[in-house]
Amino acid sequence: MWSPYIIHPRAVEISCSRMEASVILPILKKKLAFLSGGKDRRSGLILTIPLCLEQTSMDELSVTLDYLLSIPSEKCKARGFTVIVDGRKSQWNVVKTVVLMLQNVVPAEVSLVCVVKPDEFWDKKVTHFCFWKEKDRLGFEVILVSANKLTRYIEPCQLTEDFGGTLTYDHMDWLNKRLVFEKFTKESTSLLDELALINNGGDKGTQEKERSVDLNFLPSVDPETVLQTGHELLSELQQRRFNGSDGGVSWSPMDDELLAQPQVMKLLDSLREQYTRYQEVCRQRSKRTQLEEIQQKVMQVVNWLEGPGSEQLRTQWGIGDSIRASQALQQKHEEIESQHSEWFAVYVELNQQIAALLNAGDEEDLVELKALQQQLSDVCYRQASQLEFRQNLLQAALEFHSVAQDLSQQLDGLLGMLCVDVAPADGASIQQTLKLLEEKLKSVDLGLQGLREKGQSLLDQISNQASWAYGKDVTIENKENVDHIQGVMEDMQLRKQRCEDMVDVRRLKMLQMVQLFKCEEDASQAVEWLSELLDALLKTHIRLGDDSQETKVLLEKHRKFVDVAQSTYDYGRQLLQATVVLCQSLRCTSRSSGDTLPRLNRVWKQFTLTSEERVQRLETAVAFHSSAEKILQECPEQPEAFNEMEQFDEIEAVGKSLLDRLTVPVVYPDGSEQYFGSPSDMASAAEHIREKMKLVTLKKQQLRQPEVATPES
């Protein structure tokens, strides 16, 4: 059974050897302990041991601690460590074992151990074992503290997020960078030994030097890769990101507390020195072997380009008369380019080799190398220019034929649209068709403009074709190409002009049809408006007024209302007359005006009858209210004003006539009937008239009483 005072033999075996992260990688991945980069108030490093619910292997924890404590410098270790044992998810006996184990693993370096405890789980057990009593034996102070009270001993900025702090720590990121550092150290040390062996062998005689720089003596790893890895690692160390994630808080103590940066710098300096010597040795050998090969390859490239290569281009002049023909010529040209590209690749390689030799060659080789380079460049650039010119010409021809084909299809579509008779369902569809027609015509204009631009550009290129004809007369071939291009553009111009003439005729006809549909639609709208006015007259124009003045106002409003209806009717008649004229112009029959006119006349007749009935009721009401008000306002001390009682009878007759009229509906020519308002509305109006009639009757009775009293007296 494991004891906190005895290190397991396996742990001793691992810790005694040169410890590398790759050897104990599975253990380090478990994050049994870690250095977050935080510091305590004495500038000592913080070592965190996060215990979990699962059983923690003390062997693996001991190995992890040995590895972590091997990283900081002795100066850093001298400041002491603050150890945080996170026991919130562990049992008390495990925590106690870990604390006691620290006595054997890192007794001299530990200055303070903070055991993070659960809130109320260990209270009773702690009373049986107090660490503060064991301080002398342990060699360090142990305190039990809650996570939220750790800031009493450590600043929040030095605590990780697990303990409520702001310090960011990514364990896997740290582990990956640590692996990179150790891998670089191992590879660079091995590479230095190999490069020293190769370079020292080059210090011997010429024959031995050639043998020492043989392919068999190449380094086992790429020096460039190792140097790049070292520079990247050094950059991260200098930016203080060795132990942190990108954008997070990094390993803080980088001032001589970690040996990584000076070790990497020293190894990089040694590598650069040895690698520079190695490159010089290889360069000298390569220069001697390249010179003869370059001379032979240069002549091969020049002879092929000036011979078979130039002959291939002399036979290609046409541009084709269609897309398919141009594509076939392009495919043929791509085959020629493919053959040239092989020789151009040789040229690029040779040019690089010559440039390298010019930079490092002897003076006696410079003249010959420059002459070879100039001859090779002149031939290759001339041939490449001819290939590019031919490719651009064929591409321009393909674009010209593509635009011509698209324009031809657009003209065919426009002509097909113009040949179909227009039979739209309404004005909106005509507008849509007209808009589509205008868009197609505009598209044709743009297409023709694009064709002219492509054609002129192609003609300009053809006119320059003779500049590299190698003495061959290309006038005949160019004339055929020019005639074809101009013929295509002229044909498209004629077709477009014919379509424009047809579009003008179709546009005029469609605009007239739009106007026709608009007149029919507006006429129907006038009928609807007139119907709405009739409906409003029947449902809302009900009141007869409480007195003669109000009734006269209602009568005046009604006349204005009738004027609005008259204007609506006249507007509908005018629209229907316009539809007849447009139908005659278009030689077609109106589909709606034949039905709209009878509807318009029928609604207008109904409105007229209803309006007349309304006028008669209002005029009768005016007469009734005027007479009644006159009698009711006369002074009762002047009975001579009412010598003729017929006035009362006349008022009663008018009132009864008005009441009778309120119960009579409006009868239309088709025999249908309509009442003003609802029965309750009519009852309300009649009730007011009856009230006034009662007042008149009461007045009449008051005037008769003196006449009855005179005979009795």
Side-chain angles (χ1 to χ4, degrees), residues 250-295:
S250 60
W251 174 288
S252 184
M254 298 300 291
D255 46 351
D256 297 330
E257 295 175 0
L258 290 178
L259 300 178
Q261 182 174 335
Q263 290 179 18
V264 173
M265 293 177 64
K266 182 178 179 181
L267 287 172
L268 283 175
D269 292 340
S270 300
L271 277 176
R272 280 192 290 265
E273 179 183 358
Q274 292 294 335
Y275 185 50
T276 301
R277 292 181 57 194
Y278 169 75
Q279 288 177 318
E280 180 62 25
V281 171
C282 294
R283 199 162 34 245
Q284 292 296 331
R285 178 180 179 274
S286 176
K287 183 184 66 175
R288 289 191 298 271
T289 57
Q290 284 181 349
L291 185 58
E292 295 180 358
E293 296 178 358
I294 288 175
Q295 292 175 345

Short mmCIF file of all heavy atoms in Angstrom, two decimals, residues 250-295:
data_model
loop_
_atom_site.label_atom_id
_atom_site.label_comp_id
_atom_site.label_asym_id
_atom_site.label_seq_id
_atom_site.Cartn_x
_atom_site.Cartn_y
_atom_site.Cartn_z
N SER A 250 -0.45 34.68 -19.98
CA SER A 250 0.59 33.69 -20.23
C SER A 250 1.39 33.38 -18.96
O SER A 250 1.17 33.94 -17.90
CB SER A 250 1.52 34.21 -21.32
OG SER A 250 2.11 35.41 -20.87
N TRP A 251 2.37 32.46 -19.13
CA TRP A 251 3.29 32.12 -18.05
C TRP A 251 4.03 33.38 -17.68
O TRP A 251 4.77 33.97 -18.46
CB TRP A 251 4.25 31.03 -18.52
CG TRP A 251 5.33 30.68 -17.57
CD1 TRP A 251 6.41 31.41 -17.23
CD2 TRP A 251 5.43 29.46 -16.83
NE1 TRP A 251 7.18 30.76 -16.33
CE2 TRP A 251 6.61 29.55 -16.07
CE3 TRP A 251 4.64 28.33 -16.74
CZ2 TRP A 251 7.01 28.52 -15.25
CZ3 TRP A 251 5.05 27.30 -15.93
CH2 TRP A 251 6.22 27.40 -15.17
N SER A 252 3.87 33.83 -16.47
CA SER A 252 4.34 35.17 -16.10
C SER A 252 5.84 35.26 -15.83
O SER A 252 6.47 36.19 -16.29
CB SER A 252 3.54 35.66 -14.90
OG SER A 252 3.88 36.96 -14.57
N PRO A 253 6.45 34.36 -15.07
CA PRO A 253 7.86 34.57 -14.69
C PRO A 253 8.82 34.20 -15.80
O PRO A 253 9.38 33.11 -15.83
CB PRO A 253 8.03 33.62 -13.49
CG PRO A 253 7.06 32.53 -13.74
CD PRO A 253 5.91 33.15 -14.44
N MET A 254 9.07 35.09 -16.76
CA MET A 254 9.96 34.80 -17.88
C MET A 254 11.35 35.43 -17.69
O MET A 254 12.22 35.27 -18.53
CB MET A 254 9.34 35.31 -19.18
CG MET A 254 8.02 34.67 -19.53
SD MET A 254 8.15 32.90 -19.76
CE MET A 254 9.11 32.84 -21.24
N ASP A 255 11.55 36.25 -16.64
CA ASP A 255 12.82 36.93 -16.43
C ASP A 255 13.79 35.99 -15.71
O ASP A 255 13.89 35.99 -14.48
CB ASP A 255 12.63 38.23 -15.65
CG ASP A 255 11.71 38.02 -14.45
OD1 ASP A 255 11.11 36.92 -14.35
OD2 ASP A 255 11.61 38.92 -13.61
N ASP A 256 14.52 35.20 -16.53
CA ASP A 256 15.52 34.25 -16.02
C ASP A 256 14.91 33.19 -15.12
O ASP A 256 15.65 32.47 -14.46
CB ASP A 256 16.64 34.99 -15.26
CG ASP A 256 17.41 35.92 -16.17
OD1 ASP A 256 17.50 35.60 -17.36
OD2 ASP A 256 17.90 36.93 -15.67
N GLU A 257 13.61 33.06 -15.04
CA GLU A 257 13.00 32.04 -14.21
C GLU A 257 12.73 30.77 -15.02
O GLU A 257 12.54 29.71 -14.46
CB GLU A 257 11.71 32.56 -13.59
CG GLU A 257 11.95 33.70 -12.62
CD GLU A 257 10.67 34.29 -12.09
OE1 GLU A 257 9.60 33.80 -12.49
OE2 GLU A 257 10.73 35.21 -11.27
N LEU A 258 12.69 30.91 -16.31
CA LEU A 258 12.58 29.75 -17.18
C LEU A 258 13.84 29.70 -18.05
O LEU A 258 14.28 30.73 -18.58
CB LEU A 258 11.34 29.86 -18.06
CG LEU A 258 9.99 29.70 -17.34
CD1 LEU A 258 8.85 29.88 -18.32
CD2 LEU A 258 9.90 28.33 -16.70
N LEU A 259 14.38 28.53 -18.19
CA LEU A 259 15.60 28.38 -18.98
C LEU A 259 15.32 28.15 -20.45
O LEU A 259 16.26 28.01 -21.23
CB LEU A 259 16.41 27.19 -18.42
CG LEU A 259 16.85 27.32 -16.95
CD1 LEU A 259 17.58 26.07 -16.52
CD2 LEU A 259 17.72 28.54 -16.78
N ALA A 260 14.04 28.11 -20.84
CA ALA A 260 13.70 27.75 -22.21
C ALA A 260 14.25 28.77 -23.20
O ALA A 260 14.88 28.41 -24.20
CB ALA A 260 12.18 27.63 -22.36
N GLN A 261 14.03 30.07 -22.94
CA GLN A 261 14.41 31.09 -23.93
C GLN A 261 15.93 31.12 -24.18
O GLN A 261 16.35 31.06 -25.33
CB GLN A 261 13.90 32.46 -23.48
CG GLN A 261 14.21 33.58 -24.45
CD GLN A 261 13.56 34.88 -24.04
OE1 GLN A 261 12.57 34.88 -23.35
NE2 GLN A 261 14.14 35.99 -24.46
N PRO A 262 16.78 31.20 -23.16
CA PRO A 262 18.23 31.20 -23.45
C PRO A 262 18.70 29.91 -24.09
O PRO A 262 19.60 29.93 -24.92
CB PRO A 262 18.86 31.43 -22.06
CG PRO A 262 17.80 31.11 -21.07
CD PRO A 262 16.51 31.43 -21.73
N GLN A 263 18.10 28.77 -23.72
CA GLN A 263 18.49 27.51 -24.35
C GLN A 263 18.17 27.54 -25.84
O GLN A 263 18.99 27.15 -26.67
CB GLN A 263 17.75 26.35 -23.67
CG GLN A 263 18.22 26.07 -22.25
CD GLN A 263 17.45 24.92 -21.62
OE1 GLN A 263 16.82 24.14 -22.32
NE2 GLN A 263 17.49 24.84 -20.30
N VAL A 264 16.96 28.01 -26.19
CA VAL A 264 16.57 28.06 -27.60
C VAL A 264 17.46 29.01 -28.37
O VAL A 264 17.90 28.72 -29.50
CB VAL A 264 15.08 28.46 -27.72
CG1 VAL A 264 14.70 28.68 -29.18
CG2 VAL A 264 14.18 27.39 -27.11
N MET A 265 17.76 30.18 -27.80
CA MET A 265 18.61 31.16 -28.49
C MET A 265 20.01 30.59 -28.73
O MET A 265 20.58 30.75 -29.82
CB MET A 265 18.69 32.44 -27.66
CG MET A 265 17.37 33.19 -27.55
SD MET A 265 17.46 34.66 -26.49
CE MET A 265 18.61 35.64 -27.44
N LYS A 266 20.53 29.91 -27.75
CA LYS A 266 21.87 29.33 -27.90
C LYS A 266 21.89 28.26 -28.98
O LYS A 266 22.80 28.20 -29.82
CB LYS A 266 22.33 28.76 -26.56
CG LYS A 266 23.74 28.18 -26.59
CD LYS A 266 24.15 27.68 -25.20
CE LYS A 266 25.57 27.09 -25.24
NZ LYS A 266 25.96 26.59 -23.90
N LEU A 267 20.88 27.39 -28.97
CA LEU A 267 20.81 26.34 -29.98
C LEU A 267 20.62 26.94 -31.37
O LEU A 267 21.21 26.46 -32.35
CB LEU A 267 19.65 25.39 -29.65
CG LEU A 267 19.88 24.45 -28.46
CD1 LEU A 267 18.59 23.69 -28.13
CD2 LEU A 267 20.99 23.45 -28.77
N LEU A 268 19.78 27.98 -31.50
CA LEU A 268 19.57 28.61 -32.80
C LEU A 268 20.85 29.24 -33.33
O LEU A 268 21.16 29.15 -34.53
CB LEU A 268 18.46 29.67 -32.69
CG LEU A 268 17.03 29.15 -32.65
CD1 LEU A 268 16.04 30.30 -32.43
CD2 LEU A 268 16.66 28.42 -33.95
N ASP A 269 21.60 29.89 -32.47
CA ASP A 269 22.87 30.49 -32.91
C ASP A 269 23.82 29.42 -33.43
O ASP A 269 24.45 29.58 -34.49
CB ASP A 269 23.51 31.26 -31.75
CG ASP A 269 22.71 32.50 -31.37
OD1 ASP A 269 21.91 32.96 -32.23
OD2 ASP A 269 22.86 32.99 -30.23
N SER A 270 23.93 28.32 -32.70
CA SER A 270 24.82 27.24 -33.13
C SER A 270 24.33 26.62 -34.43
O SER A 270 25.14 26.31 -35.33
CB SER A 270 24.92 26.17 -32.04
OG SER A 270 25.43 26.72 -30.83
N LEU A 271 23.01 26.44 -34.54
CA LEU A 271 22.46 25.86 -35.77
C LEU A 271 22.72 26.75 -36.97
O LEU A 271 23.10 26.28 -38.05
CB LEU A 271 20.96 25.62 -35.61
CG LEU A 271 20.52 24.35 -34.91
CD1 LEU A 271 19.01 24.32 -34.74
CD2 LEU A 271 20.97 23.12 -35.69
N ARG A 272 22.50 28.06 -36.81
CA ARG A 272 22.72 28.98 -37.94
C ARG A 272 24.18 28.95 -38.38
O ARG A 272 24.49 28.97 -39.59
CB ARG A 272 22.29 30.38 -37.54
CG ARG A 272 20.79 30.61 -37.61
CD ARG A 272 20.46 32.08 -37.48
NE ARG A 272 20.71 32.58 -36.13
CZ ARG A 272 19.78 32.65 -35.19
NH1 ARG A 272 18.55 32.26 -35.45
NH2 ARG A 272 20.08 33.11 -33.98
N GLU A 273 25.07 28.91 -37.43
CA GLU A 273 26.51 28.90 -37.78
C GLU A 273 26.87 27.63 -38.54
O GLU A 273 27.50 27.68 -39.61
CB GLU A 273 27.34 29.02 -36.50
CG GLU A 273 28.84 28.98 -36.76
CD GLU A 273 29.64 29.02 -35.47
OE1 GLU A 273 29.01 29.11 -34.38
OE2 GLU A 273 30.88 28.96 -35.53
N GLN A 274 26.49 26.47 -38.02
CA GLN A 274 26.81 25.22 -38.69
C GLN A 274 26.08 25.08 -40.02
O GLN A 274 26.65 24.56 -40.99
CB GLN A 274 26.46 24.04 -37.77
CG GLN A 274 27.33 23.91 -36.53
CD GLN A 274 28.78 23.57 -36.88
OE1 GLN A 274 29.07 23.00 -37.93
NE2 GLN A 274 29.70 23.97 -36.00
N TYR A 275 24.83 25.55 -40.05
CA TYR A 275 24.06 25.42 -41.30
C TYR A 275 24.63 26.32 -42.40
O TYR A 275 24.64 25.97 -43.58
CB TYR A 275 22.60 25.77 -41.04
CG TYR A 275 21.69 25.55 -42.22
CD1 TYR A 275 21.71 24.36 -42.92
CD2 TYR A 275 20.83 26.55 -42.66
CE1 TYR A 275 20.89 24.15 -44.01
CE2 TYR A 275 20.00 26.36 -43.76
CZ TYR A 275 20.03 25.15 -44.42
OH TYR A 275 19.21 24.96 -45.51
N THR A 276 25.12 27.48 -42.02
CA THR A 276 25.75 28.37 -43.00
C THR A 276 26.99 27.71 -43.59
O THR A 276 27.22 27.74 -44.82
CB THR A 276 26.12 29.69 -42.33
OG1 THR A 276 24.94 30.30 -41.80
CG2 THR A 276 26.75 30.64 -43.34
N ARG A 277 27.79 27.10 -42.76
CA ARG A 277 28.97 26.39 -43.27
C ARG A 277 28.57 25.22 -44.16
O ARG A 277 29.18 24.97 -45.20
CB ARG A 277 29.80 25.88 -42.08
CG ARG A 277 30.47 27.00 -41.27
CD ARG A 277 31.28 26.41 -40.14
NE ARG A 277 32.29 25.46 -40.64
CZ ARG A 277 32.96 24.61 -39.88
NH1 ARG A 277 32.72 24.57 -38.56
NH2 ARG A 277 33.85 23.79 -40.41
N TYR A 278 27.52 24.53 -43.74
CA TYR A 278 27.05 23.39 -44.54
C TYR A 278 26.56 23.84 -45.92
O TYR A 278 26.83 23.20 -46.94
CB TYR A 278 25.93 22.69 -43.77
CG TYR A 278 25.18 21.66 -44.57
CD1 TYR A 278 25.73 20.42 -44.86
CD2 TYR A 278 23.90 21.93 -45.05
CE1 TYR A 278 25.04 19.48 -45.59
CE2 TYR A 278 23.19 21.00 -45.79
CZ TYR A 278 23.77 19.77 -46.06
OH TYR A 278 23.07 18.84 -46.79
N GLN A 279 25.83 24.95 -45.96
CA GLN A 279 25.33 25.46 -47.23
C GLN A 279 26.48 25.86 -48.16
O GLN A 279 26.41 25.65 -49.38
CB GLN A 279 24.41 26.67 -46.99
CG GLN A 279 23.06 26.30 -46.40
CD GLN A 279 22.22 27.53 -46.12
OE1 GLN A 279 22.73 28.52 -45.62
NE2 GLN A 279 20.94 27.45 -46.41
N GLU A 280 27.50 26.44 -47.59
CA GLU A 280 28.64 26.84 -48.41
C GLU A 280 29.33 25.62 -49.02
O GLU A 280 29.71 25.62 -50.21
CB GLU A 280 29.63 27.65 -47.56
CG GLU A 280 30.86 28.12 -48.32
CD GLU A 280 30.50 29.06 -49.44
OE1 GLU A 280 29.43 29.71 -49.38
OE2 GLU A 280 31.29 29.15 -50.42
N VAL A 281 29.48 24.57 -48.27
CA VAL A 281 30.09 23.34 -48.78
C VAL A 281 29.27 22.76 -49.92
O VAL A 281 29.79 22.38 -50.97
CB VAL A 281 30.24 22.31 -47.64
CG1 VAL A 281 30.66 20.95 -48.19
CG2 VAL A 281 31.25 22.79 -46.61
N CYS A 282 27.95 22.71 -49.72
CA CYS A 282 27.07 22.17 -50.77
C CYS A 282 27.05 23.07 -52.00
O CYS A 282 26.96 22.60 -53.14
CB CYS A 282 25.66 22.02 -50.22
SG CYS A 282 25.49 20.79 -48.93
N ARG A 283 27.14 24.38 -51.77
CA ARG A 283 27.07 25.31 -52.89
C ARG A 283 28.30 25.17 -53.81
O ARG A 283 28.18 25.23 -55.03
CB ARG A 283 26.97 26.72 -52.32
CG ARG A 283 26.46 27.72 -53.31
CD ARG A 283 25.94 28.98 -52.67
NE ARG A 283 26.64 29.40 -51.47
CZ ARG A 283 26.06 29.43 -50.27
NH1 ARG A 283 24.80 29.08 -50.13
NH2 ARG A 283 26.74 29.83 -49.22
N GLN A 284 29.43 25.02 -53.24
CA GLN A 284 30.65 24.86 -54.05
C GLN A 284 30.58 23.62 -54.91
O GLN A 284 30.94 23.64 -56.09
CB GLN A 284 31.87 24.79 -53.11
CG GLN A 284 32.17 26.09 -52.39
CD GLN A 284 32.56 27.21 -53.34
OE1 GLN A 284 33.11 26.96 -54.42
NE2 GLN A 284 32.25 28.45 -52.95
N ARG A 285 30.13 22.55 -54.35
CA ARG A 285 30.02 21.30 -55.12
C ARG A 285 28.98 21.42 -56.22
O ARG A 285 29.19 20.98 -57.34
CB ARG A 285 29.66 20.16 -54.19
CG ARG A 285 29.48 18.83 -54.89
CD ARG A 285 29.13 17.74 -53.89
NE ARG A 285 28.92 16.47 -54.55
CZ ARG A 285 27.77 16.05 -55.08
NH1 ARG A 285 26.72 16.85 -55.01
NH2 ARG A 285 27.68 14.87 -55.67
N SER A 286 27.85 22.03 -55.87
CA SER A 286 26.77 22.16 -56.84
C SER A 286 27.18 23.04 -58.01
O SER A 286 26.81 22.79 -59.16
CB SER A 286 25.54 22.74 -56.15
OG SER A 286 24.50 22.96 -57.08
N LYS A 287 27.94 24.11 -57.74
CA LYS A 287 28.36 25.01 -58.81
C LYS A 287 29.22 24.30 -59.84
O LYS A 287 29.06 24.51 -61.05
CB LYS A 287 29.12 26.18 -58.18
CG LYS A 287 29.56 27.22 -59.18
CD LYS A 287 30.38 28.29 -58.52
CE LYS A 287 31.70 27.72 -58.02
NZ LYS A 287 32.59 28.76 -57.46
N ARG A 288 30.08 23.43 -59.39
CA ARG A 288 30.97 22.72 -60.30
C ARG A 288 30.21 21.74 -61.18
O ARG A 288 30.57 21.52 -62.34
CB ARG A 288 32.05 21.98 -59.50
CG ARG A 288 33.09 22.90 -58.87
CD ARG A 288 34.26 22.11 -58.33
NE ARG A 288 33.85 21.18 -57.29
CZ ARG A 288 33.81 21.48 -56.00
NH1 ARG A 288 34.13 22.71 -55.60
NH2 ARG A 288 33.44 20.58 -55.12
N THR A 289 29.19 21.12 -60.62
CA THR A 289 28.46 20.11 -61.39
C THR A 289 27.38 20.71 -62.28
O THR A 289 26.95 20.07 -63.25
CB THR A 289 27.80 19.10 -60.44
OG1 THR A 289 26.95 19.81 -59.53
CG2 THR A 289 28.84 18.33 -59.66
N GLN A 290 26.93 21.93 -61.98
CA GLN A 290 25.84 22.51 -62.74
C GLN A 290 26.28 23.17 -64.04
O GLN A 290 25.51 23.21 -65.00
CB GLN A 290 25.11 23.58 -61.88
CG GLN A 290 24.21 22.99 -60.83
CD GLN A 290 23.51 24.07 -60.02
OE1 GLN A 290 23.85 25.24 -60.12
NE2 GLN A 290 22.55 23.66 -59.22
N LEU A 291 27.47 23.69 -64.07
CA LEU A 291 27.89 24.50 -65.21
C LEU A 291 27.83 23.74 -66.52
O LEU A 291 27.26 24.22 -67.52
CB LEU A 291 29.31 25.03 -64.95
CG LEU A 291 29.84 26.01 -66.00
CD1 LEU A 291 28.92 27.21 -66.11
CD2 LEU A 291 31.26 26.45 -65.64
N GLU A 292 28.34 22.54 -66.54
CA GLU A 292 28.33 21.75 -67.77
C GLU A 292 26.92 21.34 -68.16
O GLU A 292 26.56 21.37 -69.34
CB GLU A 292 29.22 20.51 -67.60
CG GLU A 292 30.69 20.83 -67.42
CD GLU A 292 31.52 19.57 -67.26
OE1 GLU A 292 30.91 18.46 -67.26
OE2 GLU A 292 32.75 19.68 -67.12
N GLU A 293 26.10 20.97 -67.18
CA GLU A 293 24.72 20.58 -67.49
C GLU A 293 23.93 21.77 -68.05
O GLU A 293 23.11 21.61 -68.96
CB GLU A 293 24.03 20.06 -66.24
CG GLU A 293 24.65 18.79 -65.68
CD GLU A 293 23.97 18.33 -64.41
OE1 GLU A 293 23.04 19.06 -63.95
OE2 GLU A 293 24.34 17.29 -63.86
N ILE A 294 24.17 22.96 -67.51
CA ILE A 294 23.44 24.14 -67.98
C ILE A 294 23.75 24.43 -69.45
O ILE A 294 22.85 24.72 -70.25
CB ILE A 294 23.79 25.35 -67.10
CG1 ILE A 294 23.14 25.18 -65.71
CG2 ILE A 294 23.34 26.66 -67.74
CD1 ILE A 294 23.53 26.25 -64.73
N GLN A 295 25.02 24.38 -69.84
CA GLN A 295 25.40 24.66 -71.23
C GLN A 295 24.69 23.72 -72.20
O GLN A 295 24.19 24.13 -73.25
CB GLN A 295 26.92 24.54 -71.39
CG GLN A 295 27.71 25.62 -70.64
CD GLN A 295 29.20 25.39 -70.71
OE1 GLN A 295 29.66 24.29 -71.06
NE2 GLN A 295 29.98 26.42 -70.36
#
